[in-house]
Amino acid sequence: MSKKLGSSYWKLWTATAISNLGDGVSMVAYPWLASAVTRSPILIAAAGFASRLPWLIFTLHAGVLTDRFDRRKLIVAMDFMRGLLTVFVGVVVFFNKDSFPALDELTSITNLETNWPIYFTLLVTAFLFGLAEVLRDNSAQTLMPSVVDKENLEKANGRMWSAESLTNSFIGPPLGSLLIGIAIFIPFFFDAVSFFFAVALIASLKGTFKPVADDKPREKINFKAEIKEGYVWLWAHPLLRPMAIILGSMNGLGTMVGATFILFAQEVLETSVFTFALLGTAGAVGGTVGGLLAPKVSAKLGSGRSLAMTLAAAPIGSLIIALTTTWQVVWVVVVFETFFAILWNTITVSLRQSIIPTHLLGRVNSVYRFFAWGSIPIGMFVGGGLVSALTLVISRENALRAPYIFGVVLGLILWAMAAPRLTTAKIEAARKAG
């Protein structure tokens, strides 16, 4: 078969790159806005919790919808909704711009009184945004096999993640710091425009993106029964079941560690808005290199060994960050952590896309992501609560470092338990059986 990815893929790639550019801009704007509204670790974590809670409560239902409706139309509708929500946030920030402290003064402010109206606005919009993101992302992952041939999935996914990393983490954050330096509300309008551009491109894709090829009428949606069908398939699979649980543990630990990262960056690393944006470029470097080299690394080392290295990278990175006060060191650590994260995704997402039956792809994928991503809001809540509790008995700086120490211990335990379950032989056997 042809190794060309085709025009539909490149439209999808371009749409992803544009929307992720907007996300990269807002990746600087949202944390700094939140930290200008409240300095409470638990409230900062709660805002992240609200955005990730839909992965716990809506993922399974999103899988049913993905297997029922045209996946292209779902992506278009959800990106349009996210664009509207971002416009709303931009308008609110615009009309309240004079109530925020100077952003570069936040490194020395620890007792700022919480601006409750703006905070609750962020909380509600973050939750709604998360709902749209869950359905959009599940649809996007199940869309890929309709766009490229099965043998090109790793290549297509790798290039897609390279584009995401380049725009989301390399170009977007510095641009975001420039825009937020002009006015705090501008990044949100920029992000909204990027969503609307992506909507236009995705809507122009040609082809059939319905999960079922025939035109027979379908019964009324029975969420319980259809979710159960996806759950039973995944739980019976000897590899995808432990893989989902392991990823959930990794994500839970990762968000526990990163729940209050904006405060860690401001108060421990003493980053300005621009320095924080530079710190964000580390994800782009690691992600871009990972997207390009991950298939080759997997082929050279074996998929099992590659996943074991990814499991080990997280606690090693957490240990280094826990002991440093220099943002440049954190930058290097994030480069390597992002590289290994992309390596994990390239192997596991492509595996799922190639072995899960098409008519079940949305539901099985959503059950997988329920286990893998449902732990994220829990990790955020635990991380924020841990820092808030420890500030009562130790210094604020040591409290902000504490989640990284916990991450080291728990990450090493996870590596020891999980690595033997994810061998190259098991992965290749699952791929052949699929």
Side-chain angles (χ1 to χ4, degrees):
M1 284 190 176
S2 171
K3 296 294 182 181
K4 292 183 178 180
L5 296 174
S7 60
S8 291
Y9 170 79
W10 288 112
K11 282 186 179 180
L12 182 62
W13 184 94
T14 303
T16 300
I18 291 173
S19 63
N20 273 272
L21 176 62
D23 287 346
V25 167
S26 66
M27 189 168 66
V28 173
Y30 274 108
W32 281 81
L33 174 62
S35 68
V37 170
T38 181
R39 302 302 293 173
S40 165
I42 192 66
L43 292 181
I44 290 285
F49 175 85
S51 71
R52 295 302 183 183
L53 181 59
W55 291 99
L56 185 62
I57 64 174
F58 182 55
T59 298
L60 299 178
H61 297 82
V64 174
L65 297 174
T66 303
D67 278 344
R68 279 281 184 160
F69 300 103
D70 188 302
R71 290 156 180 171
R72 175 186 53 189
K73 292 180 180 178
L74 289 176
I75 294 173
V76 167
M78 293 304 100
D79 275 351
F80 188 74
M81 177 180 170
R82 294 199 293 172
L84 291 178
L85 286 170
T86 310
V87 168
F88 176 74
V89 172
V91 170
V92 171
V93 173
F94 173 78
F95 283 109
N96 291 274
K97 60 184 182 296
D98 295 330
S99 66
F100 304 121
L103 297 185
D104 281 336
E105 294 177 2
L106 292 174
T107 56
S108 59
I109 298 175
T110 59
N111 59 350
L112 179 72
E113 185 177 348
T114 299
N115 186 329
W116 289 107
I118 304 299
Y119 178 77
F120 281 119
T121 297
L122 289 176
L123 212 62
V124 172
T125 54
F127 178 74
L128 295 175
F129 198 95
L131 289 174
E133 185 180 37
V134 168
L135 184 52
R136 192 267 180 211
D137 284 2
N138 198 64
S139 300
Q141 281 201 354
T142 54
L143 183 77
M144 186 67 79
S146 300
V147 175
V148 299
D149 296 328
K150 182 180 290 190
E151 78 250 24
N152 287 333
L153 282 173
E154 282 201 4
K155 178 181 178 182
N157 283 320
R159 291 190 176 183
M160 186 74 75
W161 286 317
S162 289
E164 289 181 11
S165 297
L166 181 64
T167 55
N168 188 295
S169 303
F170 191 73
I171 301 174
L175 179 59
S177 71
L178 175 65
L179 295 176
I180 203 173
I182 299 171
I184 192 172
F185 57 86
I186 292 179
F188 301 101
F189 291 115
F190 183 96
D191 191 21
V193 170
S194 74
F195 279 124
F196 296 138
F197 267 110
V199 164
L201 283 168
I202 297 295
S204 70
L205 290 178
K206 298 186 183 300
T208 300
F209 301 95
K210 294 180 180 180
V212 178
D214 58 46
D215 296 323
K216 295 178 182 178
R218 306 192 69 181
E219 297 177 357
K220 183 179 178 180
I221 294 178
N222 184 331
F223 280 102
K224 183 177 180 179
E226 295 190 35
I227 289 172
K228 182 179 179 181
E229 192 176 1
Y231 172 83
V232 168
W233 194 98
L234 176 71
W235 202 252
H237 199 281
L239 180 62
L240 291 188
R241 181 185 67 249
M243 190 175 282
I245 295 171
I246 291 166
L247 181 56
S249 302
M250 290 172 61
N251 284 336
L253 289 177
T255 51
M256 179 197 73
V257 166
T260 55
F261 180 71
I262 182 63
L263 299 180
F264 180 86
Q266 291 172 346
E267 298 176 31
V268 179
L269 305 180
E270 297 184 347
T271 59
S272 64
V273 178
F274 182 69
T275 305
F276 185 78
L278 291 180
L279 190 56
T281 64
V285 175
T288 302
V289 175
L292 295 174
L293 297 184
K296 295 179 181 179
V297 172
S298 176
K300 182 74 174 178
L301 300 179
S303 49
R305 185 178 297 176
S306 297
L307 296 183
M309 290 172 60
T310 300
L311 286 161
I316 293 172
S318 292
L319 177 62
I320 295 172
I321 294 176
L323 301 176
T324 191
T325 55
T326 308
W327 72 265
Q328 292 92 337
V329 172
V330 177
W331 189 93
V332 174
V333 170
V334 175
V335 168
F336 283 96
E337 287 185 337
T338 309
F339 172 85
F340 284 111
I342 296 298
L343 179 61
W344 176 284
N345 283 344
T346 299
I347 294 169
T348 60
V349 174
S350 301
L351 175 68
R352 298 203 312 269
Q353 289 172 338
S354 63
I355 69 176
I356 299 173
T358 300
H359 71 285
L360 284 172
L361 185 55
R363 280 168 288 167
V364 176
N365 199 50
S366 71
V367 175
Y368 182 98
R369 287 160 76 89
F370 171 79
F371 287 108
W373 287 63
S375 60
I376 290 178
I378 298 172
M380 284 190 167
F381 190 77
V382 170
L386 178 65
V387 173
S388 291
L390 289 177
T391 53
L392 301 176
V393 293
I394 60 177
S395 70
R396 186 172 169 96
E397 178 178 334
N398 286 331
L400 289 169
R401 292 183 185 275
Y404 293 96
I405 300 299
F406 280 90
V408 173
V409 176
L410 296 175
L412 289 175
I413 294 173
L414 177 61
W415 169 77
M417 295 178 62
R421 298 177 180 273
L422 304 177
T423 65
T424 301
K426 290 180 179 179
I427 293 171
E428 293 306 314
R431 185 175 282 115
K432 289 179 181 178

